[in-house]
Amino acid sequence: MTHAPTSEPGLGGVLGLSYDELSGDRAVISWTVGPQHLQPFGIVHGGVHCAVHESAASMAAQAWLRDKGVVVGVNNNTDFLRQARVGDTLRTVATPIHRGRTSQLWEMATTNAEGKLVSRGQVRLAHLPGSPPPEFLAMLDGA
């Protein structure tokens, strides 16, 4: 299921993330680098890439799991390959590597406007008992 761009609450909102696509098979996030994303040397802080990767993986993983539990990140591994600077628009795509009974593993690729790889990563998520917020399920159902 594809969704219109939405802003994420919490850290995603602070980072200015927009979901261009969200389903149990894929998440696409776009964001424009601003001063709030930088480390002291003027490039995007690595932790921002990690946060975007975990957000993409978590949202898509929860879309796949739906109301059968909640997902939580248990490992986040990100490689930084190319600098990004203020004004650059980046696109992060998350796709599943493995989706099992108790955990999922997702891979993310973040590219710049030229399609060059800026960072890549993997996030492992565990399934815990519980229910996602009803607003999340309603969003997936197009309500």
Side-chain angles (χ1 to χ4, degrees):
M1 178 176 292
T2 301
H3 297 277
T6 57
S7 291
E8 183 182 347
L11 180 59
V14 171
L15 295 176
L17 307 183
S18 177
Y19 284 85
D20 302 325
E21 185 180 330
L22 177 59
S23 74
D25 295 318
R26 179 174 147 113
V28 179
I29 296 176
S30 59
W31 51 292
T32 300
V33 176
Q36 72 274 24
H37 300 116
L38 304 182
Q39 43 92 311
F41 302 106
I43 60 175
V44 176
H45 191 289
V48 174
H49 288 286
C50 292
V52 174
H53 288 177
E54 188 155 341
S55 293
S58 294
M59 292 290 277
Q62 188 66 61
W64 181 79
L65 190 61
R66 299 209 41 106
D67 60 354
K68 296 177 185 75
V70 293
V71 298
V72 295
V74 294
N75 187 45
N76 184 329
N77 181 1
T78 299
D79 296 307
F80 316 109
L81 306 169
R82 180 173 273 106
Q83 295 180 5
R85 299 192 182 278
V86 172
D88 290 349
T89 297
L90 303 179
R91 180 175 186 254
T92 300
V93 177
T95 54
I97 297 171
H98 169 78
R99 295 179 291 192
R101 186 178 49 82
T102 61
S103 69
Q104 298 182 49
L105 181 63
W106 286 73
E107 65 181 340
M108 280 63 56
T110 298
T111 55
N112 61 20
E114 292 80 36
K116 293 182 178 178
L117 194 59
V118 174
S119 66
R120 63 151 306 274
Q122 290 186 170
V123 172
R124 179 173 297 283
L125 303 118
H127 301 169
L128 297 180
S131 297
E135 307 83 44
F136 179 81
L137 296 174
M139 177 191 68
L140 290 176
D141 294 333

